[in-house]
Every structure is written in structure tokens, then in C-alpha cells.
């Protein structure tokens, strides 16, 4: 992967435009999250992102893609935050204007179904993006934000290098080693959905991070096997296993454990593997700058990430 374009950091009063590229967001929670972000010194612009619906999607494919294109083109907008995931992001990947995005680089933020757009924007526009908590999914709950989540949101205005350690929870080395590369990855289902398309995830020389939610072990097995057969673990420099929320046996019992599945499909690639990162459908939800140069060390149980801003 060539050197990526880094967006500019945000500042007091920076405008965050909210997009709904996939499912229909919870409007009340999104508005509450907007107030929280405003209290942190940002300016929030919703447009009609919270008021569209088309089946289970937040508007037609053309509407959702146009919203993202327009937010990138708008010189008064400094960042694009996704309201929620759900389903639908892959449908709009062919409709995004990647040359426009390349010409107007700015923070693009989200996770889950938005994984597909992280991959497409990074590989087609050459822009570093941010895998982080979204408005109606994570930031609009009644509970106070976890300190780490709030710290990572403030990181947008006060950036530097990021260090991931066991401070947020125990990490386990499944394969020992040290590796350097660009952070790439996201939701397992969406990574598998990219295979065989123009937006297929490229893991060559990268540190691949994976998270998932509410998939049974046999489904995780199927998807990990597909990534393995596609050479994605072999190509990667190292693998970071993140949160697998509620991925337990429900319909099919007896079952393999998730750790057994990792040992079946990932460990044989022989690349350094750390598991236990709190990133994905969890609280707190670590910020991963997708495309940032990083170094993982299983002996120290750390991932050191370069400043993702220009």
C-alpha cells in the first residue's frame, strides 16, 4: 500500500457532518450524541441524515452516496461521522466519488457495516480513515461516555501517537512476535463481503484487525476459513483480534470456542497474533485509524500507532 493521505486534525468549533450510509439511525439517540459532541467543542450538522428511510435503509443508494459525496465536497465541513451501521454500505461503494474524496481529504469516522467504506475509501481514494464509535449506536446512550471513548474523541483536536496496552483489558498472545504495517480491517462479515469485488480488502504488509457481533461460532468458522483460503492471514504482517460481542453458540451445540477457531484458521499462518482488544461492538470502543503505520509487539502486549493527522 502506498503512503496514504492524512486528514487535518479538528479544532474548537470544527464542523462534523453526519451521514447515514447504511441502516436507519435512532433519531433521539443521534441527537443526544450530537449534543454531547457539541459540549466537547464541535459543531454538528445533521442535514436530512436522520429523516430518510427506504425499506431498512436510510434512504436510497443514490441519496446515501450523494450525502457522503456532498459532505466531502463541502468546504465548511471538517469531518464526516456515520450515525450508525446496520446494513447497506456495500451498496453505495460504487457510487462514491473517490477522486472528489481524494481532493478533499477529511476525517471519515464509523465502524461495523461502515467497514466496507473504510476499505473502499482507503484503497480507492488513498485516504486514512477512523474506525470508531458512532452517534446513535454508541454515543447517544443515557450513560456517561467511558473515559477512553471521550479521550479518543478529544484526540481529534489534540492528536499525537496512540498506544494500545492492557490498560483497557487483558491481551493474549496466540503467536509471539513483532510486526509493523498499516492498520487495516474491521467487521469480519464486511471483510468477507468484500472478497471477489473491486473493493476486496488488501492485507499485504498490514496489521489486520477483526471484530464481530452476534454471530455464532459456526458462522465465525465459515468466515475465518474464507479469509484464510483467500490468503488474507498469510498476506498480513500481524493480526489483532478485537471484540466478538455475543458470538456464542445458540442454534448449534456442541461448539468450538472462538479461541479454537482462531487456532484453526489464523495461528497456522505464523504471523504475530494478539487477542482481546476492546474495539468494535463494545464499551469502550478503541479508536483504530485505518491506514496508520503501526507496530505490534506481543511480548510487550502493545500496539503503537503513528499520528494519523497531517
Amino acid at each position: 500500500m502506498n503512503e496514504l493521505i492524512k486528514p487535518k486534525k479538528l479544532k474548537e468549533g470544527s464542523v462534523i457532518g453526519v451521514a447515514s450510509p447504511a441502516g436507519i439511525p435512532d433519531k433521539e439517540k443521534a441527537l443526544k450524541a450530537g449534543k454531547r459532541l457539541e459540549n466537547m467543542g464541535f459543531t454538528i450538522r445533521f442535514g436530512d441524515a436522520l429523516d430518510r428511510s427506504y425499506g431498512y435503509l436510510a434512504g436510497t443508494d443514490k441519496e446515501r452516496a450523494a450525502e457522503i459525496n456532498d459532505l466531502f465536497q463541502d468546504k465548511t465541513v471538517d469531518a464526516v461521522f456515520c450515525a450508525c451501521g446496520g446494513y447497506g454500505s456495500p451498496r453505495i461503494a460504487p457510487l462514491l466519488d473517490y477522486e472528489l474524496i481524494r481532493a478533499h481529504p477529511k476525517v471519515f469516522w464509523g465502524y461495523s457495516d461502515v467497514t466496507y467504506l473504510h476499505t473502499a475509501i482507503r484503497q480507492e481514494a488513498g485516504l486514512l480513515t477512523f474506525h470508531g464509535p458512532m452517534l446513535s449506536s454508541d454515543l447517544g446512550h443515557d450513560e456517561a461516555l467511558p473515559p477512553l471513548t471521550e479521550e479518543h474523541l478529544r484526540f481529534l483536536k489534540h492528536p499525537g501517537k496512540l498506544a494500545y496496552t492492557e490498560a483497557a483489558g487483558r491481551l493474549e498472545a496466540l503467536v509471539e512476535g513483532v510486526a509493523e504495517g498499516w492498520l487495516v480491517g474491521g467487521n469480519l462479515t464486511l471483510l468477507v463481503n468484500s472478497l471477489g469485488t473491486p473493493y476486496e480488502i488488501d492485507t499485504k504488509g498490514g496489521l489486520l484487525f477483526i471484530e464481530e457481533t452476534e454471530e455464532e461460532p459456526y458462522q465465525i468458522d465459515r468466515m475465518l476459513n474464507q479469509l484464510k483460503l483467500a490468503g488474507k492471514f498469510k498476506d498480513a504482517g500481524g493480526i489483532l483480534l478485537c471484540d466478538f460481542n455475543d458470538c456464542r453458540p445458540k442454534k448449534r451445540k456442541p461448539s468450538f470456542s472462538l479461541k479454537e477457531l482462531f487456532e484453526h484458521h489464523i495461528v497456522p499462518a505464523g504471523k504475530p497474533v494478539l487477542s482481546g482488544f476492546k474495539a468494535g461492538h463494545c464499551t469502550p470502543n478503541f479508536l483504530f485509524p485505518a491506514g496508520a503505520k503501526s507496530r505490534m509487539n506481543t511480548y510487550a502486549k502493545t500496539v503503537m500507532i503513528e499520528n494519523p493527522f497531517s
Side-chain angles (χ1 to χ4, degrees):
M1 186 166 60
N2 296 325
E3 195 76 23
L4 293 180
I5 301 168
K6 296 180 179 180
K8 293 180 179 179
K9 70 174 184 178
L10 302 188
K11 56 187 178 181
E12 195 71 15
S14 284
V15 175
I16 295 175
V18 180
S20 295
I24 302 169
D26 182 311
K27 185 173 182 177
E28 182 180 349
K29 288 182 178 178
L31 291 173
K32 187 179 296 183
K35 290 294 184 184
R36 275 186 164 157
L37 290 168
E38 287 176 345
N39 290 338
M40 297 177 70
F42 301 111
T43 302
I44 307 302
R45 186 180 302 172
F46 283 107
D48 62 352
L50 306 183
D51 297 311
R52 298 187 312 261
S53 65
Y54 177 66
Y56 41 72
L57 303 171
T60 66
D61 294 347
K62 287 184 178 179
E63 287 174 331
R64 290 177 289 115
E67 179 177 62
I68 291 177
N69 289 333
D70 290 346
L71 287 172
F72 269 98
Q73 188 170 35
D74 190 335
K75 294 181 180 179
T76 67
V77 172
D78 304 294
V80 180
F81 272 39
C82 297
C84 68
Y87 171 74
S89 296
R91 293 175 55 139
I92 68 172
L95 303 179
L96 295 185
D97 188 335
Y98 296 104
E99 289 303 317
L100 182 151
I101 293 172
R102 182 193 301 272
H104 302 276
K106 56 188 68 174
V107 170
F108 179 77
W109 182 289
Y111 76 104
S112 192
D113 194 70
V114 180
T115 291
Y116 206 94
L117 300 185
H118 283 306
T119 303
I121 289 171
R122 183 178 64 255
Q123 296 181 180
E124 299 296 316
L127 176 64
L128 184 151
T129 61
F130 295 80
H131 183 278
M134 298 178 288
L135 279 79
S136 77
S137 308
D138 309 271
L139 305 178
H141 298 291
D142 292 332
E143 300 82 5
L145 292 181
L148 185 62
T149 299
E150 189 164 343
E151 176 186 332
H152 284 170
L153 288 168
R154 295 189 186 281
F155 176 82
L156 291 169
K157 292 191 290 184
H158 308 286
K161 293 182 179 180
L162 287 169
Y164 292 88
T165 68
E166 289 191 289
R170 180 174 175 268
L171 298 176
E172 181 180 2
L174 303 186
V175 179
E176 296 283 13
V178 177
E180 295 183 354
W182 289 273
L183 280 174
V184 298
N187 181 263
L188 177 59
T189 297
L190 275 297
L191 297 177
V192 170
N193 286 169
S194 76
L195 299 179
T197 76
Y199 313 102
E200 179 169 328
I201 180 75
D202 181 4
T203 65
K204 291 184 179 68
L207 301 184
L208 175 63
F209 66 95
I210 301 173
E211 65 90 20
E212 190 50 271
T213 185
E214 297 180 352
E215 299 284 357
E216 292 194 48
Y218 82 91
Q219 296 167 309
I220 302 292
D221 188 340
R222 180 177 62 212
M223 291 188 283
L224 291 179
N225 185 61
Q226 190 167 354
L227 284 183
K228 176 181 69 178
L229 295 179
K232 299 306 175 181
F233 301 133
K234 183 179 179 180
D235 286 347
I239 293 107
L240 311 178
L241 298 172
C242 303
D243 196 75
F244 283 72
N245 173 56
D246 197 24
C247 291
R248 55 187 174 83
K250 299 162 192 168
K251 185 169 67 175
R252 292 181 183 266
K253 299 178 181 179
S255 175
F256 291 115
S257 68
L258 291 180
K259 186 175 181 181
E260 286 175 315
L261 296 179
F262 300 151
E263 290 171 344
H264 293 169
H265 297 300
I266 297 176
V267 168
K271 304 302 173 70
V273 182
L274 269 176
S275 71
F277 290 93
K278 299 297 288 183
H281 294 77
C282 57
T283 302
N285 182 350
F286 270 165
L287 166 64
F288 273 114
K293 288 182 179 178
S294 306
R295 186 176 190 270
M296 66 179 291
N297 184 327
T298 68
Y299 306 106
K301 295 183 179 177
T302 59
V303 177
M304 308 300 294
I305 304 170
E306 70 170 3
N307 185 343
F309 295 98
S310 62

